[in-house]
């Protein structure tokens, strides 16, 4: 598989931001996040940029949804973060996107739940072991942040980490930068349950 189109621009952006750029990142690291609850697994991960903080880190990468040398029909980004303050497991999505998981071969789909928040429940599809788990994971501060941002895409929280897909973001430096900011904001809101 050739390097993804635009990877030299991503590398230059990462260098300016002090991030580590890896054109062909460690596939095993990404595969440990799978299976996703709402996102279909890609065939590969490319052009990863890593931001390290204490504690935790964030990685923005391009999920490659094509086989071999073929170009995918659409290109996107996924953001990953690790942080010890992330302790809940739940997933949500707003909209149906090309990377929405539709097959559940290796694991059953998580139960769909509601939070009892009329606005949230009218616009967001939420998955968790229980409504209580979902409400604890997507507490008011995090819901308020996502609403304020007009969030469209997928967000999966799990113990020690999260995965986020923002619809419409493509593998260009400006969108890597935007997704890195979104990931950092979500981590901050998710680990601080106090409503704002």
């Amino acid at each position: 598989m050739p390097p993804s189109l635009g990877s030299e621009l991503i590398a230059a952006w990462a260098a300016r931001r002090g991030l580590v750029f890896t054109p062909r990142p460690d596939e095993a690291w990404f595969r440990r996040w799978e299976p996703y609850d709402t996102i279909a697994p890609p065939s590969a991960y490319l052009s990863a940029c890593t931001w390290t903080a204490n504690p935790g880190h964030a990685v923005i990468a391009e999920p490659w949804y094509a086989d071999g040398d073929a170009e995918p029909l659409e290109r996107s980004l996924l953001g990953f973060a690790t942080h010890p303050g992330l302790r809940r497991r739940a997933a949500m999505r707003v909209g149906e996107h090309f990377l929405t998981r539709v097959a559940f071969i290796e694991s059953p789909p998580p139960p769909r739940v509601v939070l009892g928040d009329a606005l949230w429940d009218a616009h967001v599809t939420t998955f968790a072991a229980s409504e209580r788990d979902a409400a604890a994971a997507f507490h008011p501060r995090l819901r308020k942040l996502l609403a304020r941002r007009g969030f469209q895409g997928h967000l999966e929280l799990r113990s020690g980490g999260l995965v986020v897909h923002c619809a419409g973001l493509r593998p260009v430096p400006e969108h890597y930068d935007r997704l890195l900011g979104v990931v950092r904001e979500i981590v901050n809101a998710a680990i601080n349950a106090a409503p704002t």
Side-chain angles (χ1 to χ4, degrees):
M1 177 184 302
S4 61
L5 184 64
S7 61
E8 66 287 345
L9 298 173
I10 305 304
W13 168 81
R16 286 191 305 275
R17 290 288 308 246
L19 307 176
V20 175
F21 173 75
T22 312
R24 299 246 187 251
D26 177 14
E27 194 80 14
W29 185 86
F30 291 99
R31 296 300 176 196
R32 284 192 292 273
W33 291 86
E34 298 174 7
Y36 300 112
D37 291 333
T38 64
I39 302 168
S43 59
Y45 296 89
L46 304 172
S47 299
C49 295
T50 303
W51 174 76
T52 304
N54 190 7
H57 67 281
V59 177
I60 310 299
E62 179 179 2
W64 194 257
Y65 286 96
D67 291 326
D69 290 340
E71 283 281 327
L73 294 176
E74 289 192 52
R75 294 175 67 191
S76 189
L77 293 174
L78 288 178
F80 300 83
T82 63
H83 192 286
L86 296 167
R87 296 189 181 109
R88 308 285 183 176
R89 182 170 187 119
M92 59 79 78
R93 74 167 190 266
V94 179
E96 294 284 341
H97 309 283
F98 78 94
L99 50 57
T100 297
R101 184 175 178 194
V102 293
F104 293 87
I105 297 168
E106 67 279 350
S107 64
R112 184 174 175 177
V113 299
V114 295
L115 300 186
D117 175 329
L119 185 61
W120 176 274
D121 293 335
H123 299 285
V124 177
T125 306
T126 309
F127 304 91
S130 69
E131 292 177 5
R132 186 178 190 177
D133 288 345
F138 297 114
H139 54 74
R141 180 177 180 177
L142 181 54
R143 293 197 308 265
K144 185 182 281 188
L145 168 70
L146 295 170
R148 188 176 67 243
R149 284 194 142 279
F151 183 83
Q152 292 282 319
H154 300 76
L155 173 58
E156 298 191 11
L157 301 171
R158 40 186 78 178
S159 181
L162 65 78
V163 180
V164 64
H165 160 254
C166 290
L169 296 187
R170 303 286 177 253
V172 297
E174 302 81 37
H175 291 184
Y176 268 78
D177 199 57
R178 190 178 309 163
L179 186 53
L180 179 59
V182 168
V183 167
R184 290 167 61 180
E185 277 187 303
I186 290 173
V187 168
N188 187 44
I191 65 175
N192 184 353
T196 57

